[in-house]
Amino acid sequence: MVGNLLLRGMLAGLMAGILVFAFAHMFGEPLVDAAIAFEEASAQAAGEAEPEIVSRATQAGLGLFTGVMAYSVAVGGLFALAFAFVQGRFSSLSPRGTSAVIAIAAFVAVVLVPGVKYPANPPAVGTPDTIGARTELFFLMIVVSLAALIAAVALSRRLSERFGLWNGAIIAGVVYLVFIGLVLYLLPPINEVPENFSAMVLWRFRTTSLGMHVILWATLGLAFGALAEKRLAVKSGLRPAFR
C-alpha cells in the first residue's frame, strides 16, 4: 500500500508543480528580471560585469519548470510517506483530514517559521562570501522547526490523556511557539539588502515566494487527500466518498 500511496503523492506533487510553475512564471519572473537588472547595473558601475552563462529565457522557462517540477514531485513523495506513517497510527481522521493537517503542519514548520527569520531574497540581495553560512542557517532553522513540531505533537498526545484533547493541543502549541521564539531570537540575523534596492521589489518577491509555497502545500493537501481516500476506500471495499 505504501508504494501505491507514494505514487499518488508524486502525482499530487506533479499537479502542484504545474500550478506553482504557472504562478512563478507569471508573477515571480518579472521580479527576478528587475533584481537582475539592478545587479547588472551595480556590477557595471563597479566595473565587474560578468557574461551571461545561461540565458534568461532558459532560466525563466525550461530551467524554472525543471526545478519546480523536480522539487514538487520529490516533496509529494515525502508527503505520501509521512501520510502512510501517520494515518491509522497517530490520526483517526479521514484520509482527507489527515492530509490537510499534515499539509498545514508542514507549511508552518518548513516554510512559515524559517521564513520569518530568513525570508526569501531575489538576486542582488546577499553576497557570495556568505552564501554558505546563509544556507546552513536556513536549513538549520528548518530542521529545528520540524523537530520542535514533532516534539510538540508527542507532547500534545501525552497531555491530552490528562487535560483533554483541546487543552493538551493548546499547551503543546504554546510550548512550540515559545521554543521557536527563543530559537529565532538566538540565531544570528542576516541583512544584506543593498541600501538602494527597491523595497517594493523585495516585498513582492517575498510575498510571491510565500504564495508559491501556499499553492504547493494546499494542492498537496487537497489532491493527495482525495487520491488517498479513493485508494484506501477501494482497498477496504468501501465506496469512495466522491465520484
Side-chain angles (χ1 to χ4, degrees):
M1 184 183 72
V2 174
N4 203 288
L5 290 175
L6 178 62
L7 182 62
R8 279 166 167 73
M10 296 174 70
L11 178 60
L14 183 67
M15 290 186 276
I18 294 173
L19 296 177
V20 171
F21 168 76
F23 181 84
H25 187 74
M26 182 176 298
F27 298 103
E29 285 305 315
L31 301 174
V32 174
D33 288 336
I36 289 176
F38 173 87
E39 187 177 40
E40 290 177 346
S42 300
Q44 288 178 357
E48 301 173 352
E50 296 181 358
E52 186 179 56
I53 300 176
V54 180
S55 68
R56 274 296 296 145
T58 301
Q59 294 175 18
L62 181 61
L64 176 64
F65 180 80
T66 302
V68 168
M69 295 305 296
Y71 177 79
S72 300
V73 171
V75 171
L78 294 174
F79 187 92
L81 294 178
F83 175 89
F85 179 75
V86 171
Q87 181 68 14
R89 292 186 177 91
F90 304 101
S91 173
S92 57
L93 298 174
S94 68
R96 287 192 178 192
T98 300
S99 181
V101 170
I102 293 175
I104 294 172
F107 175 77
V108 171
V110 177
V111 179
L112 197 58
V113 169
V116 170
K117 184 67 177 181
Y118 304 116
N121 287 323
V125 175
T127 61
D129 295 337
T130 63
I131 187 171
R134 286 186 281 122
T135 302
E136 290 174 0
L137 286 172
F138 180 74
F139 280 102
L140 175 62
M141 191 69 243
I142 292 178
V143 171
V144 171
S145 180
L146 276 174
L149 180 64
I150 294 172
V153 171
L155 178 63
S156 174
R157 289 175 57 84
R158 294 190 60 180
L159 293 176
S160 63
E161 299 175 358
R162 181 176 180 181
F163 300 104
L165 181 62
W166 279 106
N167 291 333
I170 291 173
I171 295 172
V174 170
V175 172
Y176 173 79
L177 291 176
V178 171
F179 175 76
I180 289 298
L182 181 62
V183 172
L184 293 176
Y185 175 77
L186 292 176
L187 285 178
I190 296 176
N191 182 17
E192 298 179 346
V193 181
E195 291 184 4
N196 54 342
F197 189 83
S198 171
M200 182 58 68
V201 171
L202 179 63
W203 169 253
R204 290 177 59 192
F205 182 88
R206 289 177 174 176
T207 54
T208 300
S209 177
L210 183 63
M212 291 167 57
H213 286 287
V214 169
I215 293 172
L216 172 65
W217 291 104
T219 304
L220 281 178
L222 295 174
F224 179 79
L227 293 171
E229 184 175 75
K230 184 176 181 179
R231 166 59 183 169
L232 294 176
V234 170
K235 184 176 183 296
S236 62
L238 299 176
R239 186 179 181 179
F242 61 95
R243 295 180 185 273

